[in-house]
Amino acid sequence: MTIAHPPKPGNALWVYAHPRRESLNDRLLQAGAKALSQRYEVTVSDLYAQGFDPVLSRRDLGDLSDRPGNIAELAGEAYASGQLPADVREEQAKLAAAELLVLQFPLWWYGPPAILKGWFDRVLTSGFAYGDLDPELGVPRRYGDGGLVGRKALIVVTAGEDERSIGPRGISGDLDSLLFPITHGVLWYVGIGALDLHVVHDADSLGPEEVEHQVERLVTRIGGVDDEHARQFRRLRDGDYANTRALREDLASGRTDLGIHLADRD
Amino acid sequence: MTIAHPPKPGNALWVYAHPRRESLNDRLLQAGAKALSQRYEVTVSDLYAQGFDPVLSRRDLGDLSDRPGNIAELAGEAYASGQLPADVREEQAKLAAAELLVLQFPLWWYGPPAILKGWFDRVLTSGFAYGDLDPELGVPRRYGDGGLVGRKALIVVTAGEDERSIGPRGISGDLDSLLFPITHGVLWYVGIGALDLHVVHDADSLGPEEVEHQVERLVTRIGGVDDEHARQFRRLRDGDYANTRALREDLASGRTDLGIHLADRD
């Protein structure tokens, strides 16, 4: 089972999940990808333009589609036997080549649009993006040691809400917690370290000058992205969750917030 | 703009988002819906069987599809002018009629499958599920006062992980936090109170007797669901987030976990 995919140096994948042209997101994509292309070979997966189908279904299982069992495990078998659909294989090839991943999307119902959620569901198959016990590591290929280990990811998210509503103690929950299922549950699980979120607040009500400011801000951010360090969550292999899969009592004692899983907070 | 939809007493909607027949989820659906039908008229939205398309796109905007602007706002206008697609209108009619909502899904990448995420994206349009400032209330129709106020929801979720991995301080984050974007961001936002999660752990490795036990457990849960109280999050109108949209400093002081938004914890 292949669980390590060395990236191609200087390669980046920009996954874009917004339906409209001439939108703020479109502006950010054009300017951001251009800025990034000064140092990277940038591939864009424009999920809406591609007509990407986000629904994981029997179509994803090749000749295993009638076999009983867990669909994620069966998709892993379909991956191992080269039976995944062409659109999934293409996305996997792009992702495997990239050393930097950008995920750009508008915040819909406090999460990614369905088309991006389904990109996770279909593309990050068992065997490709994570695996069972690795004999050398002594732990499963998950949580910091997944099949895509060594990569960094930048999340660019536009939100209709203001900075306070999705900030610490904000009424909608803080965005770091709301997107923990992506930064930790998806990215860290498969070995990819997320950089600090790049958030554009009040995205529905920006005037022309504010849009320009946000475009500039993203271009500047991308200019310095190589010098940024990804947030490190705790790794399974370090023993912080030894025996129980719950965080050891002596670490981040008394706390129950999701921030306890960050590795650099003790 | 219509923002209140009185439910039809004794009506329930069961939204089901799993692709496979003869699965654990299928067993839970059949037994659960049968148990519920002893007291409710139960409608099932079997999203996979319906071929529900979860991708919010220009198709959702009627004759507004070429107009610039925010897609959520335009979908709200399409709702107001009766231009939403037939599949969305059908789901809205089912939801408006229901006083009890069941959302059943497998946990994929620490969230709902794309087909369910897109049901939120497309069905819960502005004007139908939430609204702007209500003159009588003096606050927007959101967070406890949304367009679907007065309903309860039961989330039935199957997870491959064990109880510790997604329990308090579990390596994957606790499930209450992981699903906060649904219980609070989606349901509470539109006025629906979520009951305690109904979780089936280790879902991929249950033996036949354990499956029967889980079926029994769900049937028992459903038998008592009318006596359960929904969790209450803080309402916008109560002033807990006065002026700043961040929780007042004197409430749940010093805490930053998502549990601070529960109304009954002080």
Side-chain angles (χ1 to χ4, degrees):
Chain A
M1 187 186 290
T2 307
I3 47 174
H5 315 277
K8 200 170 143 193
N11 207 278
L13 173 62
W14 192 300
V15 179
Y16 177 71
H18 191 276
R20 311 205 93 203
R21 298 281 158 206
E22 296 177 41
S23 59
L24 169 64
N25 267 281
D26 189 37
R27 285 291 313 278
L28 295 172
L29 167 66
Q30 301 305 332
K34 186 178 166 191
L36 191 60
S37 67
Q38 297 191 350
R39 299 187 317 289
Y40 288 84
E41 188 176 328
V42 181
T43 303
V44 175
S45 280
D46 183 339
L47 300 183
Y48 271 91
Q50 293 172 206
F52 184 78
D53 180 350
V55 180
L56 176 62
S57 69
R58 46 185 292 125
R59 190 176 34 84
D60 289 276
L61 304 183
D63 64 14
L64 306 169
S65 62
D66 289 325
R67 199 198 294 178
N70 175 266
I71 194 168
E73 286 172 18
L74 292 170
E77 284 194 54
Y79 166 74
S81 56
Q83 294 192 70
L84 291 181
D87 62 341
V88 171
R89 281 185 280 120
E90 280 170 31
E91 295 305 312
Q92 290 184 340
K94 294 183 209 171
L95 182 55
E99 57 177 355
L100 177 67
L101 172 67
V102 180
L103 298 176
Q104 184 193 346
F105 59 94
L107 191 70
W108 286 356
W109 291 111
Y110 305 102
I115 203 168
L116 179 57
K117 177 56 173 58
W119 189 86
F120 302 144
D121 292 346
R122 293 187 65 214
V123 174
L124 301 176
T125 51
S126 170
F128 171 70
Y130 62 95
D132 290 331
L133 190 70
D134 184 280
E136 282 179 42
L137 283 175
V139 292
R141 277 277 180 192
R142 298 171 195 192
Y143 288 119
D145 289 308
L148 296 163
V149 68
R151 288 161 176 80
K152 294 198 295 192
L154 177 65
I155 291 176
V156 178
V157 57
T158 59
E161 303 204 45
D162 64 31
E163 197 164 356
R164 298 161 306 180
S165 302
I166 52 177
R169 294 168 56 88
I171 185 171
S172 303
D174 65 289
L175 195 57
D176 275 322
S177 294
L178 296 171
L179 295 186
F180 181 90
I182 298 182
T183 55
H184 182 276
V186 174
L187 295 173
W188 184 246
Y189 193 95
V190 304
I192 303 175
L195 303 175
D196 287 339
L197 302 174
H198 189 88
V199 190
V200 177
H201 297 96
D202 304 302
D204 303 332
S205 52
L206 299 179
E209 283 185 22
E210 292 163 313
V211 168
E212 292 312 311
H213 169 69
Q214 290 298 338
V215 168
E216 287 294 316
R217 191 168 72 87
L218 178 60
V219 166
T220 302
R221 174 84 191 262
I222 283 173
V225 84
D226 292 346
D227 301 325
E228 290 191 32
H229 294 284
R231 66 181 74 181
Q232 301 291 312
F233 291 105
R234 300 174 190 277
R235 291 186 304 184
L236 196 51
R237 70 156 113 157
D238 289 335
D240 294 357
Y241 305 91
N243 304 323
T244 70
R245 290 291 169 93
L247 188 60
R248 276 171 24 208
E249 285 185 20
D250 58 311
L251 299 170
S253 295
R255 283 172 55 193
T256 56
D257 60 288
L258 295 171
I260 63 175
H261 302 291
L262 282 165
D264 53 1
R265 284 230 179 143
D266 291 321
Chain B
M1 185 186 289
T2 308
I3 47 173
H5 315 278
K8 199 170 142 192
N11 208 278
L13 174 61
W14 192 301
V15 180
Y16 177 71
H18 191 277
R20 311 205 93 205
R21 298 281 160 208
E22 297 177 41
S23 59
L24 168 64
N25 267 282
D26 189 39
R27 285 291 313 280
L28 295 171
L29 168 66
Q30 301 305 332
K34 186 178 166 191
L36 192 59
S37 68
Q38 297 191 349
R39 299 186 319 287
Y40 287 84
E41 188 176 329
V42 181
T43 303
V44 175
S45 281
D46 182 340
L47 301 184
Y48 271 91
Q50 291 171 208
F52 184 78
D53 181 351
V55 179
L56 175 63
S57 68
R58 46 184 292 126
R59 189 176 34 84
D60 289 275
L61 305 182
D63 65 13
L64 305 169
S65 63
D66 289 324
R67 199 198 294 177
N70 174 266
I71 193 168
E73 287 173 18
L74 292 171
E77 283 194 54
Y79 166 74
S81 56
Q83 294 192 71
L84 291 181
D87 62 340
V88 171
R89 280 186 279 120
E90 280 169 32
E91 295 305 311
Q92 290 184 340
K94 294 183 211 172
L95 182 54
E99 56 177 354
L100 176 65
L101 172 67
V102 180
L103 298 175
Q104 184 193 345
F105 59 94
L107 191 70
W108 286 356
W109 291 111
Y110 305 102
I115 203 168
L116 179 57
K117 177 55 172 62
W119 189 85
F120 302 144
D121 292 346
R122 294 187 65 214
V123 174
L124 301 176
T125 50
S126 171
F128 170 71
Y130 62 95
D132 290 330
L133 192 71
D134 184 282
E136 282 179 42
L137 283 176
V139 292
R141 278 275 181 193
R142 297 171 194 191
Y143 288 118
D145 289 307
L148 296 163
V149 68
R151 289 161 175 80
K152 294 197 296 192
L154 176 65
I155 292 177
V156 178
V157 58
T158 59
E161 302 203 45
D162 64 31
E163 197 163 356
R164 298 161 306 179
S165 301
I166 52 177
R169 294 168 57 88
I171 185 170
S172 302
D174 65 288
L175 195 58
D176 274 323
S177 294
L178 296 171
L179 295 186
F180 181 90
I182 299 182
T183 55
H184 182 275
V186 174
L187 295 173
W188 184 246
Y189 192 95
V190 305
I192 302 175
L195 304 176
D196 287 339
L197 302 175
H198 188 88
V199 190
V200 177
H201 297 96
D202 304 302
D204 303 332
S205 52
L206 298 179
E209 283 184 24
E210 292 163 313
V211 168
E212 290 313 311
H213 169 69
Q214 290 298 338
V215 168
E216 286 294 315
R217 192 168 72 88
L218 178 60
V219 167
T220 302
R221 175 85 191 262
I222 283 173
V225 83
D226 291 347
D227 300 324
E228 290 189 32
H229 295 285
R231 66 181 73 181
Q232 301 291 311
F233 290 104
R234 300 174 189 278
R235 291 186 305 185
L236 195 52
R237 70 156 112 158
D238 291 334
D240 294 356
Y241 305 91
N243 303 322
T244 71
R245 290 291 170 94
L247 187 61
R248 276 172 24 210
E249 286 185 18
D250 58 311
L251 299 170
S253 294
R255 284 172 55 194
T256 56
D257 60 289
L258 295 171
I260 63 176
H261 303 291
L262 282 164
D264 52 2
R265 285 231 179 141
D266 289 320

